[in-house]
Amino acid sequence: MVGTPVLFIAIPLLAAFLIPLLGMIWKELVRIIPGLVLAYMLVLSVSLLSYVLENGPIVEVLSGWAPPIGINLVFSAFSGFLVTLMSFLGLIIWIYSYRFKRNVDFEPSKKYFILLLMMITGSIGIVLTGDIFNLFVFIEIVGISGYALAAFYMGRNSAEASFKYLFMGSLASAFLLLAIMIIYSQLGTLNMADIASKVHLMDPTYKVVAIIFFMAAIGIEAEIFPLNGWAPDVYTEAPGPVGAAFSGIVVKAAVYAAVRMVYTLFDVSGTYDFLLIMGLITLIVAETTALRQDKLKRMLAFSSIGQMGLVLIAFGIGTLEGVFAALFLMLNHAITKSLLFLSGSYLVFNSKDKYIKEVNGLGKFMPITSFLFALGAFAIVGLPPFAGFWSKLSVLTAAADSNLILIIALILIVSVIEIVYYFRVVNRIYFFKKGESVIPQRPTAHALLAMITLGAIILIIGFYPDSITGILHKASADLMDKTKYINDVLSAK
Amino acid sequence: MTYILYIAMSFLILGLIISAIRFVKGPTAGDRTVALDTLTTIGVAGLVLLAYVFGRFIYVDVALVYAVLGFIGVIVIARYLEGAL
Amino acid sequence: MDSLYKMIEYGIYSAAILLILVGLYGALTKKSLIKIVIGLSIVDAGIHLLLVSIGYLKGGTAPIFSPGYEDKADIMVDPIPQALVLTAIVIGFAVTAVALSLVIRLYRHHDTLQIDDIKNLKW
Amino acid sequence: MEILEIIGGILILIGSAFLFLGALGILRMPDVYNRLQAGTKATTLGAMSLIIGVGFLEPSWMMKSIIIVVFIAFSNPISSHALARAMYKRKRYPIIKSEDKDMDAYIEVFQQEEEEVKS
Amino acid sequence: MIYLILFAVLLLLMLAAAVYATFQRDLLYAVIATGVISLVLSVIFYMLQAPDVALTEAAIGVALTTIIFIITIRNTVRHEDEHDKHSREKKIQP
Amino acid sequence: MKNTIVILLLATIGYYLGTIFFGIGFGDAHFANGVKDTYLALTTSELKVANTVTSIVVNFRGFDTLGEVTVLFLAATALGGILYKKRHAVGERTVLFPASSIVKSGAKLIFPAIVLLGAYVFIHGHLSPGGGFQGGTIIATGFLLMLLAYDNFSVNHNVLSFIESFAGIFFVAFGLAGLLISGTFLENFMPVGTMNDLFSGGVIPIIYILVGFKVAAELTGVIYTVLHEKD
Amino acid sequence: MENLTLSDKLSRFILNWFFLMIVWIAFTSSFSGQELIVGVITTMVISLLSISMFTCCTLAILSPIRIVYMLWYFVVFFVALIQSNFDVARRVLSPSLPINPGIVKFKTKLTTNYSKMVLANSITLTPGTLTVDVIDDTFYIHWIDVKTTDPEKAFTEIAESFEKILLKIF
């Protein structure tokens, strides 16, 4: 044990408040400190996770008051797994963006690192917290840093994308407050475990309306279909690492919140089916839209939305296998999509509009980046030797166990679509002639290191999936066991 | 005593309504700001009166803050109208 | 007395809900960006009012144990919604400030605030 | 005790009546300056007298009442002056009933303003 | 009884100000109307026995929100349906 | 067409909200099994803080407040980032008319009183309504008044970010001190004193004062940034 | 802002401290030891920080004769305030709105900014007048019932009674 879960929040906050001061002393510290903090968080999460897998969840009580009164943080196998994933990705993204654009001034880069650090911290907070209002506060932290990061480039469209996100985010927070209000007015408590233990006292109408508002709010953050209008624009206009952070970290946290609502908080029948249907619609709509895109990052964004739909489908199956498949999918998607964003943003580094046709023939000029992009593309569509294959397989088996034949068929059809549009890009990279005006940009050593790490992990998981499945099984079992969660939290002190 | 409070409060309510009418009628930004100023002053008085009705001394703090900050809001608008911001 | 509270109840809830709806209407249909931000802040106001009013207690007083009120805990209104609203107001202000700075940025690039003219990305 | 209550009640009545009159003034007067006149004076005295009245009813509140009154008496005229000046600078002409005799001062202010803009 | 009337008047005022702020074409007036909303809202919070919230609403709503909105208007346009791209000179009219 | 859809959507939302909230009831003890009574009891017995809202905001749910302070900090940072320009000329406010001398001298006279009021509000956060946020906002409004009245009035940015950072660091440090001394983050590790004294409530007033400084510095910075925004 | 000698600074500081302490006691409405200690510290810090910028006068303003004049000023001012309110009431309530508004100007002999501010505020609160602008020593007054436009006569009509006392105080 190197610490307690609250340090995941406290240390980054301390660092964020310190960075402006330290920046006055030595400007390079502004870049270094977040990396140190993220590395510390990774070490902490790994050691806590190994402790938790042995001894059961840690419930940290804050301000000295036991759960229904005070706020608590829960570091269980499930949340711990996500926290580890997020800290790892955060570290990778920090390494990548250490010298992402040399020409950025000191002031913006200071702000960039503070905001990135806080976005990761906020996502970790969403995963750790055991209190719905605290969840709201963390969502706002993620939101505000997200708005600022989306508008980071001074180009014409970034502010527009950011405003769109802000509009949706404000609506989300309004709905979230309404949902919290309804729950509080019925049960008089804000603690998740307490709510879960009392939720049967709630009138069904209230429950349904509360969950609808909740889902509307979380759906905006998690890019569920009718509410995902902001996502493609933000992914397109934000810097590459920020897009990776969004799809790898923020969306995962939002999905966690949605799943926590469905699996632990409420016991409304039909919510699993609701997840399933929403996931299905999201998947189909997003993938067919991705097929029509002509901008690289936009295509990746729609693909990311589609993958989230797949995750929701897996969660919506509702069995242990389904949850396992969903977690596996989340892991793979986080790593693979980050790799795609990171390498893709170097592929279209110097182009203004980021069209797909501008990657033509770059395979010769940037061999490593192109190779890594191709690797990510193969992994995400689920070709056999790579990581994505195992997760997709587990989704299919979980669906087959529950006799959801239609879903299997649809997933297979959508996979074909996915293969088409990813292979189109890979094809262009390797077998087309380079455009005249395209200037290839060599990645910096940091960026190369980050991308190669991700690629290596994809290969490792692809060839030895057993290395990760043990943790995933424990995590999914942890999510399914609602009474244990309630008991653990309410008996903490 | 109760009747006095009733009468005073009805005067204040009438004052609120009338300033609101001036606010809607305008016609210029200046008139609306005058209405806002009047509303603020009536509000301060009303807050003190309500504190007496509720019988709690600590409530007066709110009126104090309003008395101090209300005029800054008006000055903000006035400086904008001057074209000085 | 009961009918009085009933009327206040209906009045306050319907006013708060109408406030939310009016704000949402403004935010969803208006074309000017500043109007959209104003609409969002009206929505916030309505939600705060709703949240405070569900914590109200008939004949209650503020949850402050000032001298003379040390043992009146049974007539105090619910302090938790108030604490939540406190947080929510400050957060709402922060979001409004960021939104308005984005509006200024958008105007700098487009020289207009009409969303019809700004649509470079699909809305 | 009784005396204090009576004084307080009377002051409250006077104060609320003047607040009402101030509001009525801003409704009835014909232009911004006259509205400011009515608004400032009546509401200032009204609020002062009402708050002092409450102070008489509860003597322990007196000090805070006085400080609120001081703030109001200090800040209200400043804000209305700022507003009047703003309207003036923006060439919002006041209604002037008696002939042209007071236009001198009026025009002078505008000349001053234009010089300020130039410099 | 008088409280009922007071409540009713305050709620109606607030709603009227909200509707006014939504449908007024001059953005400056809409901003002043949001000031009125926050003033009335603060009095309502006060009457619902929430002085803390009333104080917060007062402190933030009176001057800070107004100044940020007004500066935005100063830097952009004053009227809602202004399509004209270079109309900054006409902007300040009381 | 769009209007119709919006109105239908709003009607649906309104209908559901109406059914929900008219059913809740107003001023009843509808959350009898909730945590409200526990909070009220613990505030008097354990924390000795008069204002229950303060004790909730700073102690029971102090973690929320930490998040809230962070949100403000991020908003200030984001504002600077969004409005950033390469040729950002600080201190260049083109003012057509200086304020009249009356506003100037009035502002000069009332400014210390406003700052004192803000200090009063956040020092008495545990006794009377108000606290760090309100007090900080009041002080920032005072600075706004000075910035409006004097076109050459300027605030030192480094001092502001110093105050901001140190207040935030001390806030977290108090939390960590609670973790080290008493075992949980943000725990009240100091003697609580007696009710309704100024020196009571342990770390609660101290944290609220820190919050007050931080909020004041942040909002002043926000106002300053926004006021100098001119293109 | 301006260059001050040390004794001048000290005297301003003590005056400011004194007044802020009075304001603090009024805020807290209590004389308990803890409040007073905290108040002394807080007000001292604030007045130290605002020593060169936010103070108006030196300790000399507290000399007895000036205090007597100040009290006299308050009496005059209150009488005028009450008069002005009845004046407003008469005008507002009479159905024909008996007003004859216009703008007049006059010059004042006051020199310091603070005395001008006090005079302007008093004029705003007294019968039928509103200070519109002050440029150097010229006051522009909106007068609800213009009796004369001659500067000297207007001055005697509006401001003389105040100015006499203010000259003694400042």
Side-chain angles (χ1 to χ4, degrees):
Chain A
M1 295 272 280
V2 247
T4 55
V6 73
L7 296 180
F8 281 115
I9 317 294
I11 298 294
L13 285 185
L14 204 58
F17 296 145
L18 263 173
I19 286 173
L21 286 188
L22 294 177
M24 292 179 198
I25 303 169
W26 186 37
K27 292 187 174 178
E28 202 61 21
L29 278 177
V30 167
R31 298 170 191 270
I32 296 172
I33 297 273
L36 293 180
V37 171
L38 286 166
Y40 170 72
M41 278 154 80
L42 182 59
V43 171
L44 182 62
S45 62
V46 167
S47 73
L48 281 182
L49 185 62
S50 59
Y51 174 84
V52 161
L53 289 176
E54 295 292 316
N55 304 332
I58 304 172
V59 178
E60 165 131 34
V61 175
L62 299 173
S63 359
W65 303 105
I69 301 170
I71 296 173
N72 61 311
L73 301 179
V74 184
F75 195 96
S76 59
F78 178 48
S79 54
F81 164 69
L82 282 178
V83 168
T84 316
L85 180 62
M86 287 171 180
S87 333
F88 171 70
L89 273 183
L91 188 62
I92 292 287
I93 288 167
W94 171 77
I95 294 173
Y96 178 85
S97 52
Y98 185 73
R99 286 264 181 230
F100 183 51
K101 290 221 165 167
R102 281 166 188 283
N103 52 354
V104 171
D105 294 355
F106 170 64
E107 270 300 308
S109 76
K110 180 173 92 180
K111 284 172 174 132
Y112 173 81
F113 280 103
I114 293 177
L115 292 168
L116 188 65
L117 185 61
M118 289 328 292
M119 193 155 98
I120 295 163
T121 311
S123 309
I124 289 178
I126 292 176
V127 174
L128 282 180
T129 187
D131 186 286
I132 44 176
F133 192 74
N134 206 233
L135 182 78
F136 168 79
V137 173
F138 279 119
I139 284 182
E140 288 300 318
I141 290 180
V142 172
I144 290 197
S145 34
Y147 310 146
L149 283 174
F152 183 72
Y153 281 160
M154 290 292 145
R156 288 171 70 88
N157 293 339
S158 65
E160 190 182 334
S162 171
F163 192 83
K164 211 189 262 189
Y165 182 25
L166 190 144
F167 180 74
M168 301 299 277
S170 302
L171 290 184
S173 62
F175 287 147
L176 196 55
L177 263 182
L178 278 172
I180 289 172
M181 198 187 304
I182 293 168
I183 293 171
Y184 180 77
S185 73
Q186 290 303 300
L187 301 176
T189 178
L190 293 169
N191 190 281
M192 285 190 194
D194 209 16
I195 292 170
S197 69
K198 284 178 183 170
V199 78
H200 57 277
L201 299 173
M202 216 164 145
D203 195 76
T205 331
Y206 288 78
K207 229 185 290 188
V208 170
V209 176
I211 204 165
I212 287 173
F213 278 129
F214 227 113
M215 278 303 169
I218 300 293
I220 288 174
E221 303 286 338
E223 309 168 355
I224 299 175
F225 162 60
L227 307 168
N228 56 9
W230 60 271
D233 299 333
V234 169
Y235 285 31
T236 317
E237 300 301 331
V242 174
F246 263 114
S247 75
I249 298 177
V250 175
V251 178
K252 298 292 175 294
V255 167
Y256 165 85
V259 167
R260 191 50 103 190
M261 292 306 129
V262 171
Y263 276 77
T264 310
L265 241 62
F266 294 102
D267 54 353
V268 187
S269 64
T271 40
Y272 294 141
D273 296 339
F274 178 72
L275 275 189
L276 200 64
I277 292 167
M278 288 324 291
L280 212 53
I281 298 172
T282 311
L283 178 68
I284 294 168
V285 172
E287 299 287 9
T288 44
T289 324
L291 193 59
R292 293 203 309 268
Q293 297 305 317
D294 52 357
K295 290 184 179 175
L296 183 64
K297 280 187 178 178
R298 226 177 152 79
M299 186 196 90
L300 290 178
F302 276 110
S303 157
S304 176
I305 296 169
Q307 294 285 324
M308 280 298 108
L310 202 53
V311 170
L312 284 185
I313 290 175
F315 274 122
I317 293 172
T319 57
L320 192 64
E321 288 78 25
V323 175
F324 169 76
L327 286 178
F328 204 173
L329 209 53
M330 271 162 94
L331 169 71
N332 280 335
H333 174 248
I335 290 170
T336 320
K337 194 47 68 61
S338 303
L339 177 61
L340 283 172
F341 265 110
L342 298 182
S343 54
S345 71
Y346 265 110
L347 285 179
V348 291
F349 196 88
N350 283 327
S351 96
K352 189 169 169 296
D353 292 321
K354 323 274 186 210
Y355 283 115
I356 291 180
K357 61 175 183 281
E358 283 166 354
V359 304
N360 286 1
L362 285 178
K364 289 192 196 98
F365 297 91
M366 321 167 62
I368 303 176
T369 318
S370 311
F371 171 72
L372 287 168
F373 187 86
L375 179 67
F378 291 146
I380 207 154
V381 298
L383 287 190
F386 303 110
F389 171 70
W390 302 107
S391 52
K392 225 162 217 174
L393 190 66
S394 54
V395 176
L396 292 177
T397 47
D401 283 350
S402 308
N403 291 324
L404 298 164
I405 308 299
L406 184 66
I407 298 221
I408 298 177
L410 278 171
I411 291 175
L412 288 176
I413 293 171
V414 166
S415 299
V416 173
I417 300 177
E418 236 177 348
I419 291 175
V420 170
Y421 65 77
Y422 272 112
F423 277 32
R424 208 176 50 183
V425 179
V426 176
N427 188 24
R428 274 177 183 278
I429 292 177
Y430 282 106
F431 303 109
F432 274 54
K433 204 169 230 162
K434 190 172 91 68
E436 298 291 311
S437 57
V438 180
I439 314 149
Q441 169 81 24
R442 293 215 156 272
T444 60
H446 311 280
L448 222 48
L449 176 67
M451 291 190 285
I452 289 174
T453 319
L454 288 176
I457 286 176
I458 290 175
L459 288 176
I460 290 172
I461 295 178
F463 287 111
Y464 307 100
D466 296 343
S467 59
I468 199 81
T469 45
I471 300 174
L472 290 177
H473 275 298
K474 280 195 175 160
S476 44
D478 175 56
L479 176 65
M480 294 298 285
D481 200 347
K482 178 175 165 179
T483 38
K484 183 164 177 295
Y485 177 82
I486 295 172
N487 287 337
D488 281 340
V489 172
L490 289 184
S491 65
K493 52 175 181 7
Chain B
M1 207 62 229
T2 330
Y3 290 105
I4 291 179
L5 291 179
Y6 275 16
I7 296 168
M9 218 172 274
S10 24
F11 269 133
L12 293 188
I13 292 171
L14 284 176
L16 283 177
I17 295 173
I18 292 173
S19 337
I21 293 172
R22 172 48 71 200
F23 182 86
V24 175
K25 273 173 80 174
T28 65
D31 298 291
R32 292 185 166 86
T33 319
V34 177
L36 177 67
D37 198 9
T38 315
L39 274 176
T40 312
T41 316
I42 295 178
V44 172
L47 289 180
V48 175
L49 198 62
L50 281 174
Y52 174 71
V53 172
F54 297 141
R56 302 207 60 174
F57 177 49
I58 44 173
Y59 281 28
V60 184
D61 280 11
V62 184
L64 183 57
V65 170
Y66 241 109
V68 175
L69 297 191
F71 99 106
I72 301 181
V74 176
I75 287 184
V76 167
I77 301 170
R79 290 290 282 162
Y80 171 70
L81 291 177
E82 258 183 317
L85 267 179
Chain C
M1 203 57 191
D2 263 2
S3 64
L4 193 86
Y5 273 113
K6 207 68 195 165
M7 285 163 89
I8 293 180
E9 170 194 340
Y10 275 94
I12 245 177
Y13 284 152
S14 42
I17 292 171
L18 280 177
L19 211 55
I20 295 175
L21 295 183
V22 168
L24 274 179
Y25 178 80
L28 290 174
T29 59
K30 289 291 165 183
K31 299 289 180 206
S32 167
L33 291 176
I34 295 182
K35 263 302 172 52
I36 292 175
V37 180
I38 289 178
L40 289 175
S41 66
I42 293 176
V43 174
D44 269 3
I47 288 176
H48 299 159
L49 178 56
L50 214 48
L51 192 43
V52 169
S53 57
I54 63 164
Y56 186 66
L57 189 68
K58 278 175 192 168
T61 183
I64 300 173
F65 296 92
S66 56
Y69 282 81
E70 275 99 347
D71 48 355
K72 299 265 177 65
D74 49 334
I75 60 158
M76 285 186 177
V77 303
D78 196 344
I80 303 163
Q82 298 189 12
L84 303 189
V85 172
L86 209 71
T87 311
I89 287 178
V90 177
I91 289 178
F93 173 73
V95 172
T96 309
V98 173
L100 288 176
S101 64
L102 279 175
V103 170
I104 295 177
R105 256 276 291 278
L106 280 169
Y107 187 82
R108 215 190 270 162
H109 290 309
H110 296 268
D111 266 347
T112 177
L113 286 186
Q114 298 288 315
I115 49 173
D116 295 335
D117 301 347
I118 297 180
K119 281 180 187 169
N120 276 353
L121 307 169
K122 275 173 282 179
W123 275 76
Chain D
M1 239 27 235
E2 201 58 33
I3 287 290
L4 284 183
E5 285 207 349
I6 291 169
I7 297 176
I10 292 172
L11 281 176
I12 287 178
L13 273 185
I14 294 175
S16 53
F18 273 119
L19 281 170
F20 169 69
L21 281 180
L24 198 62
I26 68 163
L27 185 66
R28 286 203 67 200
M29 290 291 183
D31 76 338
V32 185
Y33 303 94
N34 294 313
R35 280 173 201 146
L36 271 175
Q37 294 252 13
T40 314
K41 294 188 225 324
T43 55
T44 307
L45 184 74
M48 282 165 84
S49 128
L50 194 148
I51 292 166
I52 292 287
V54 171
F56 272 112
L57 291 180
E58 294 266 345
S60 64
W61 297 18
M62 200 56 179
M63 270 195 282
K64 219 166 210 169
S65 304
I66 289 176
I67 200 77
I68 296 179
V69 163
V70 169
F71 274 128
I72 286 182
F74 188 77
S75 61
N76 249 356
I78 293 183
S79 65
S80 45
H81 157 75
L83 201 53
R85 185 172 183 263
M87 298 317 280
Y88 217 78
K89 293 278 184 204
R90 289 289 101 207
K91 307 189 178 163
R92 191 53 42 172
Y93 293 86
I95 292 177
I96 294 168
K97 277 193 179 166
S98 52
E99 294 82 70
D100 287 344
K101 60 190 175 188
D102 23 50
M103 288 303 278
D104 294 349
Y106 190 61
I107 288 163
E108 203 171 311
V109 175
F110 279 104
Q111 283 166 349
Q112 290 265 6
E113 175 200 322
E114 266 151 35
E115 275 162 26
E116 270 174 43
V117 173
K118 273 173 204 158
S119 63
Chain E
M1 199 56 211
I2 196 82
Y3 297 115
L4 183 60
I5 297 174
L6 184 53
F7 253 119
V9 168
L10 289 174
L11 293 172
L12 283 179
L13 266 185
M14 190 172 65
L15 272 180
V19 172
Y20 185 87
T22 311
F23 292 100
Q24 172 59 259
R25 298 212 170 270
D26 192 327
L27 293 170
L28 179 67
Y29 300 166
V31 169
I32 302 176
T34 55
V36 174
I37 293 178
S38 107
L39 167 73
V40 178
L41 193 60
S42 151
V43 178
I44 292 175
F45 284 151
Y46 192 82
M47 292 188 67
L48 289 172
Q49 310 289 339
D52 279 273
V53 185
L55 198 49
T56 318
E57 184 72 39
I60 285 184
V62 171
L64 285 189
T65 318
T66 318
I67 182 79
I68 293 189
F69 268 111
I70 282 188
I71 292 205
T72 313
I73 291 176
R74 192 241 1 228
N75 278 327
T76 58
V77 292
R78 164 103 181 252
H79 287 277
E80 186 186 351
D81 33 38
E82 218 161 316
H83 279 278
D84 185 4
K85 289 199 173 181
H86 299 285
S87 54
R88 295 196 192 181
E89 289 74 29
K90 300 184 289 186
K91 189 169 55 181
I92 301 167
Q93 308 150 340
Chain F
M1 185 55 205
K2 193 186 169 193
N3 268 14
T4 334
I5 295 173
V6 167
I7 286 173
L8 280 179
L9 182 72
L10 293 185
T12 329
I13 294 177
Y15 174 73
Y16 280 108
L17 281 180
T19 39
I20 288 292
F21 282 96
F22 289 133
I24 285 176
F26 180 72
D28 307 323
H30 44 79
F31 26 70
N33 49 0
V35 287
K36 170 202 166 193
D37 295 332
T38 327
Y39 277 149
L40 287 171
L42 282 175
T43 304
T44 44
S45 62
E46 299 281 325
L47 293 175
K48 307 282 185 200
V49 170
N51 189 344
T52 315
V53 178
T54 298
S55 74
I56 290 174
V57 164
V58 182
N59 193 278
F60 295 117
R61 306 184 65 83
F63 205 52
D64 281 351
T65 307
L66 188 57
E68 187 185 350
V69 169
T70 315
V71 166
L72 265 185
F73 170 75
L74 285 177
T77 314
L79 214 66
I82 291 170
L83 295 178
Y84 176 80
K85 275 182 279 192
K86 278 250 164 61
R87 45 181 202 293
H88 200 151
V90 178
E92 205 181 275
R93 254 191 314 150
T94 43
V95 175
L96 289 180
F97 308 104
S100 79
S101 64
I102 293 173
V103 175
K104 279 185 180 172
S105 4
K108 240 185 193 183
L109 275 185
I110 209 168
F111 179 75
I114 291 178
V115 175
L116 187 64
L117 177 65
Y120 163 76
V121 167
F122 64 65
I123 288 172
H124 286 74
H126 56 303
L127 301 179
S128 64
F133 300 106
Q134 295 89 336
T137 320
I138 292 168
I139 293 178
T141 316
F143 276 103
L144 168 64
L145 177 63
M146 290 309 284
L147 284 165
L148 287 177
Y150 291 84
D151 38 324
N152 56 0
F153 184 82
S154 68
V155 220
N156 192 334
H157 251 281
N158 287 343
V159 172
L160 280 187
S161 67
F162 240 82
I163 294 173
E164 198 179 320
S165 295
F166 268 109
I169 290 164
F170 276 120
F171 191 171
V172 182
F174 266 102
L176 292 174
L179 186 65
L180 291 179
I181 295 169
S182 303
T184 56
F185 191 71
L186 277 173
E187 187 159 351
N188 196 346
F189 57 86
M190 279 163 63
V192 288
T194 50
M195 279 272 281
N196 277 313
D197 271 6
L198 187 53
F199 299 135
S200 66
V203 304
I204 291 175
I206 300 175
I207 286 182
Y208 235 10
I209 289 171
L210 288 175
V211 172
F213 274 111
K214 191 166 167 58
V215 171
E218 266 155 10
L219 291 182
T220 312
V222 165
I223 292 169
Y224 197 71
T225 318
V226 168
L227 218 52
H228 284 260
E229 169 59 33
K230 191 135 200 169
D231 42 8
Chain G
M1 289 291 139
E2 59 262 64
N3 291 322
L4 300 171
T5 61
L6 185 66
S7 67
D8 209 13
K9 268 188 184 171
L10 198 66
S11 131
R12 283 174 180 233
F13 163 64
I14 290 171
L15 184 80
N16 203 7
W17 193 1
F18 177 71
F19 274 117
L20 285 182
M21 198 59 214
I22 290 176
V23 173
W24 174 268
I25 289 171
F27 279 162
T28 57
S29 301
S30 118
F31 289 96
S32 77
Q34 296 175 348
E35 303 275 4
L36 287 181
I37 292 170
V38 173
V40 165
I41 295 169
T42 317
T43 49
M44 188 178 77
V45 170
I46 292 174
S47 43
L48 268 181
L49 290 179
S50 58
I51 188 162
S52 60
M53 182 86 194
F54 303 112
T55 49
C56 69
C57 348
T58 56
L59 271 179
I61 202 157
L62 288 183
S63 74
I65 183 87
R66 288 184 176 184
I67 288 180
V68 171
Y69 273 116
M70 264 184 236
L71 293 177
W72 177 235
Y73 185 81
F74 276 120
V75 172
V76 174
F77 171 68
F78 264 106
V79 170
L81 180 59
I82 290 163
Q83 266 180 15
S84 81
N85 272 280
F86 283 103
D87 183 61
V88 166
R90 185 174 59 80
R91 283 179 212 281
V92 169
L93 288 178
S94 68
S96 61
L97 277 181
I99 56 171
N100 173 27
I103 288 183
V104 296
K105 66 165 183 177
F106 61 80
K107 284 192 190 305
T108 171
K109 292 194 267 309
L110 295 172
T111 48
T112 62
N113 278 336
Y114 294 100
S115 55
K116 274 186 222 162
M117 184 199 71
V118 174
L119 181 60
N121 279 2
S122 313
I123 287 173
T124 304
L125 287 177
T126 48
T129 47
L130 172 73
T131 318
V132 172
D133 207 348
V134 179
I135 297 167
D136 297 331
D137 59 348
T138 316
F139 277 62
Y140 294 85
I141 306 288
H142 181 266
W143 202 351
I144 205 165
D145 187 13
V146 177
K147 296 195 183 90
T148 168
T149 50
D150 180 42
E152 265 89 57
K153 277 183 193 155
F155 173 71
T156 19
E157 194 80 21
I158 297 170
E160 192 173 25
S161 54
F162 294 127
E163 200 198 56
K164 262 192 311 197
I165 310 173
L166 281 177
L167 277 174
K168 296 265 173 28
I169 297 176
F170 286 95

